[in-house]
Amino acid sequence: LSDQVSFIGTVAAAGGPGAAPQGLRGWLRRAYRFATDRNDFRRNLLVNLGLFAAGVWVARNLTDIDLMAPQPVP
Amino acid sequence: MGGECCPPQQWRRRPRAGASSRSRFRQRRCPRPRWRRPAAARGAGGRRAGPGMGNALGPAAPRAPRRGEPLGSPGSFDELHRQCKEVFPQQMEGVKLIVTKTLSSHFQVTHTVHMSTLGPSSYHFNATFVGDRQLGPTEAFPTLIGDMDNSGSLNAQVLHLVAERIRTKAVFQTHQTKFVTWQFDGEYRGDDCTATLTLGNPDLLGESVILVAHFLQSITSRLVLGGEMVYHRRPGEEGAILTLAGKYTALKWVATLNVGYGGAHASYYHRANEQVQVGVELEANTRLQDTTFAFGYQLNLPQANMVFRGLLDSNWSVGGVLEKKLPPLPVTLALGAFLNHWKNRFHCGFSVIVG
């Protein structure tokens, strides 16, 4: 019995550090698939929400342009 | 006393036990208000009444002006996103010639010839009659508009002001000889609210109807909240959809949001200066499982008699329309081009507007 317990402990210890990168890689894989799946409604909604926020920021900060101002002399 | 409010009640201590039975607790009461003729009818020398005592002792003095800004009418529900939508360019393809002739101060006709590259070419004749009752620069009643094309399809609208605050509209659309749309609107415009009821394609024999109710309320001078309810009924089917709407108007920008079971529509309009206006739009449709984003801008150069509108959206489309007036002629030239990178489609067009 003590051999079995020590064997189980060894297996658990070996799967610990390897399980974390496996979980992280799986999460990254799922996130990449979500970000590139053009047929996913939630993904498209999040992307367009981000674009909307970026568009509002551009409208508020980068559009105060005087089109009739004289060009700068080099 | 006649010219004053009721004086404050005067309280006295309770009588001690054994004191005189006559109560020393006196309460001066206001006399029962009696109606008197207004001072103007009574003649000079009538007593002057205090505020809030107009009925009792004569006409009330004018109240102090109400604090805060006036709320203002919120306008129509269909025009919530109008400012943002006007920034975006209209799709153009083929060649279009539009000739407008004003025959009198009430009557105007327009001829439109469209040589299309994507579909059949067409000719439209439009006649507009405007009545005498003018409420604003673009609002006059009654207004009758009729548009007929070369295939016999008709689009007609009648707008009428029934009362000071009540306006009605009737819309008819036919496709050649068959009626496609018949719609009746009734709108009430209050000082700070708007209520609209629309009846779409009512069919008593077929037992079908579309009912749309709108309501908008100005909460503050800048914030408008409201909602829309759409009810449709057909044999064997009926349903209703509720949408909530909100609009915030600031000095240089306007933000509008419609949220409902069918989706959401958000728009942001920003007026950077006299020359540059920007519009950002987001639409999400839960039934079609589709979302779109669009960014548009408008550049006004009155010194050059030029207006340019540009567009960029999430469907990988970019486009622009340039409108240039050609003084002293009453002619406007418009050039437009749209490119869809994803579908690899490009179309351009130009139009000449005379009058």
Side-chain angles (χ1 to χ4, degrees), chain A residues 59 62-65, chain B residues 252 270-278:
Chain A
L62 298 182
T63 56
D64 196 4
I65 305 167
Chain B
K252 282 190 164 187
H270 188 93
R271 188 181 184 86
N273 51 41
E274 292 297 320
Q275 299 165 351
V276 181
Q277 299 169 59
V278 178

Side-chain angles (χ1 to χ4, degrees), chain B residues 106-108 126-131 140 142-146 156-159:
Chain B
H106 296 285
F107 198 65
Q108 171 182 290
N126 181 297
T128 303
F129 172 82
V130 171
T143 299
L144 288 82
I145 303 170
Q157 293 187 32
V158 179
L159 294 90

Side-chain angles (χ1 to χ4, degrees), chain B residues 88-287:
Chain B
F88 291 89
Q90 299 294 318
Q91 292 274 342
M92 285 183 65
E93 55 86 17
V95 176
K96 193 179 271 190
L97 171 65
I98 303 172
V99 178
T100 300
K101 178 69 179 172
T102 302
L103 299 178
S104 73
S105 59
H106 296 285
F107 198 65
Q108 171 182 290
V109 295
T110 303
H111 303 272
T112 304
V113 178
H114 184 203
M115 311 295 287
S116 173
T117 56
L118 298 179
S121 301
S122 65
Y123 163 76
H124 286 253
F125 175 76
N126 181 297
T128 303
F129 172 82
V130 171
D132 289 328
R133 188 90 184 266
Q134 186 147 11
L135 294 187
T138 56
E139 282 188 325
F141 297 96
T143 299
L144 288 82
I145 303 170
D147 187 290
M148 180 167 275
D149 68 4
N150 54 300
S151 65
S153 299
L154 171 70
N155 188 335
Q157 293 187 32
V158 179
L159 294 90
H160 184 51
L161 193 69
V162 174
E164 189 69 35
R165 294 171 186 261
I166 301 176
R167 51 189 74 184
T168 56
K169 183 169 83 171
V171 177
F172 302 96
Q173 280 185 341
T174 69
H175 179 68
Q176 295 176 355
T177 59
K178 186 182 171 188
F179 270 88
V180 174
T181 301
W182 55 103
Q183 176 181 310
F184 307 96
D185 286 8
E187 182 180 276
Y188 170 81
R189 284 215 184 179
D191 289 333
D192 59 356
C193 69
T194 303
T196 309
L197 189 65
T198 302
L199 217 56
N201 289 22
D203 187 351
L204 292 175
L205 296 177
E207 293 183 8
S208 67
V209 71
I210 299 173
L211 197 71
V212 183
H214 295 144
F215 183 74
L216 288 175
Q217 173 72 51
S218 295
I219 307 299
T220 67
S221 59
R222 295 187 172 193
L223 179 65
V224 171
L225 296 177
E228 171 190 61
M229 197 197 72
V230 179
Y231 169 78
H232 71 274
R233 180 190 168 93
R234 277 189 304 191
E237 180 193 350
E238 67 176 336
I241 298 174
L242 178 68
T243 303
L244 301 177
K247 177 178 177 182
Y248 187 85
T249 305
L251 195 61
K252 282 190 164 187
W253 55 273
V254 177
T256 311
L257 175 66
N258 288 23
V259 178
Y261 182 74
H265 183 190
S267 70
Y268 177 82
Y269 165 81
H270 188 93
R271 188 181 184 86
N273 51 41
E274 292 297 320
Q275 299 165 351
V276 181
Q277 299 169 59
V278 178
V280 190
E281 227 177 11
L282 170 70
E283 284 190 73
N285 192 318
T286 52
R287 274 177 296 174

Side-chain angles (χ1 to χ4, degrees), chain A residues 11-27 30:
Chain A
V11 168
Q22 293 284 349
L24 183 63
R25 253 185 248 141
W27 186 89
R30 285 194 301 272

